Amino acid sequence: MEDSAHPKRAVTVADVAKAAKVSKATAARVLGGYGVVSAKITDQVMAAAAALEYRPNELARSMSTGRSGIIGVVVGDIENAFFSLAVRGISDAARLAGFNVIIANSGEELDAEKSAVDLLIGKRVDGLIVTPARCDSIDHLQHVRRAGVPLVLFDRAIPELDVDAVTGDDRDAAIVATRYLIGQGHRRLAYVSAMNAEGGGLTNIGRISNSAVRERVEGFVSVLTEAGLPNPLHYVRLGATDQQQTDGVIKRLLSDSAQPTALLASDSLVGLRIFKSLQSLGLSIPKDVSMISFLDADWTSVTVPPITIVDQRVYEMGKLAGERLIARIERTPLAVERLRVGTSLVVRGSVANIGQ
């Protein structure tokens, strides 16, 4: 029985070398995966390491090789199915390339994002994938670049940063969804987002700090303008940050003198909150109000009726971001790009045709 007061000493490279009857330098080459060593010696060293239950010192290895074998990922809200799917794609790409992943959640708070980035840089990660909480506050991301750490942005783009970004085709996705609603006869449409805003309204699209939300709102407003509908910004409502806030947003919309007949939810969490709000008000979808949600989250296909959604290929987006970062870590010569992954509209039963 192991004496808890005197824990077992960690096995070192020197211990493995002695057991394998090779030099410490040879054992280090085998265990570190660098240099040229014969297959026979490699087998001897690996057998000794397994017998001794050797565990590599990651910090020491990173100092000797210049690599930690770790990718850092900072997402906006891990509770959101969008980011869970993205992380899965990133992790699969990383694993195939021999990297591990450390995930941090910013909660869409800039200070939390800065702290997470600092922590991951301190862990000597080989590269970072970040979903920026704000696209107008980038000093900490500039620091990442100055530190020489490869950086890829996910879901949101910041052209001023001059780094790769993997995003959806957000503006086009909103245009397609909004045109579908217009085509079904709806003339009073609302776009609902979880972004914080005083009063929940919007007077200037340019002030939206989240590039994905901004582009979706631009697409939504452009279609309403194209259709000759008055005051399109009136129906852009922010602040649906939790169920209570969403209930308030929906109640205010439906108490409007010209209440909307259709709602477009900015993401699946907002969509689910809207669905619950309408249920609590005793309203039927699509008889009383039609709705579309971004993302094919599990809940959208099991409601009655199932929800029409903007299908975002999020796993593919995450995998692409992981592959792009690994290419940067490996110093593959590539031009800086914004890689857009297309979307499609999946029509189900949540939108009524109310005619012209």
Side-chain angles (χ1 to χ4, degrees), residues 132-150:
R134 297 185 62 91
C135 296
D136 56 358
S137 184
I138 61 174
D139 287 349
H140 62 299
L141 299 177
Q142 291 283 22
H143 172 70
V144 172
R145 297 192 65 228
R146 288 194 294 269
V149 178

Side-chain angles (χ1 to χ4, degrees), residues 182-257:
I182 294 287
Q184 295 301 106
H186 295 274
R187 292 295 180 269
R188 298 190 303 277
L189 292 70
Y191 179 95
V192 182
S193 170
M195 276 202 65
N196 278 310
E198 290 184 15
L202 180 69
T203 57
N204 182 353
I205 295 175
R207 293 183 63 186
I208 299 176
S209 62
N210 179 319
S211 68
V213 174
R214 183 176 64 246
E215 290 173 15
R216 291 177 194 179
V217 171
E218 286 173 349
F220 174 79
V221 168
S222 72
V223 175
L224 268 59
T225 302
E226 168 188 285
L229 302 177
N231 196 16
L233 283 181
H234 174 71
Y235 288 111
V236 177
R237 299 299 172 95
L238 311 180
T241 53
D242 58 29
Q243 191 60 54
Q244 183 177 358
Q245 295 298 320
T246 304
D247 288 345
V249 169
I250 298 304
K251 285 177 182 176
R252 286 190 294 272
L253 273 170
L254 297 180
S255 64
D256 196 284
S257 58

Side-chain angles (χ1 to χ4, degrees), residues 251-275:
K251 285 177 182 176
R252 286 190 294 272
L253 273 170
L254 297 180
S255 64
D256 196 284
S257 58
Q259 68 181 54
T261 60
L263 306 172
L264 177 57
S266 62
D267 64 56
S268 63
L269 273 181
V270 172
L272 181 56
R273 291 172 193 147
I274 290 173
F275 184 85

Side-chain angles (χ1 to χ4, degrees), residues 160-194:
E160 299 83 1
L161 203 54
D162 195 32
V163 298
D164 297 312
V166 178
T167 72
D169 201 348
D170 293 297
R171 193 176 192 277
D172 186 64
I175 287 173
V176 169
T178 310
R179 280 182 178 160
Y180 175 72
L181 292 171
I182 294 287
Q184 295 301 106
H186 295 274
R187 292 295 180 269
R188 298 190 303 277
L189 292 70
Y191 179 95
V192 182
S193 170

Side-chain angles (χ1 to χ4, degrees), residues 26-44:
T26 297
R29 281 197 293 274
V30 173
L31 297 170
Y34 60 90
V36 179
V37 183
S38 71
K40 179 182 177 182
I41 295 298
T42 297
D43 289 344
Q44 281 179 225

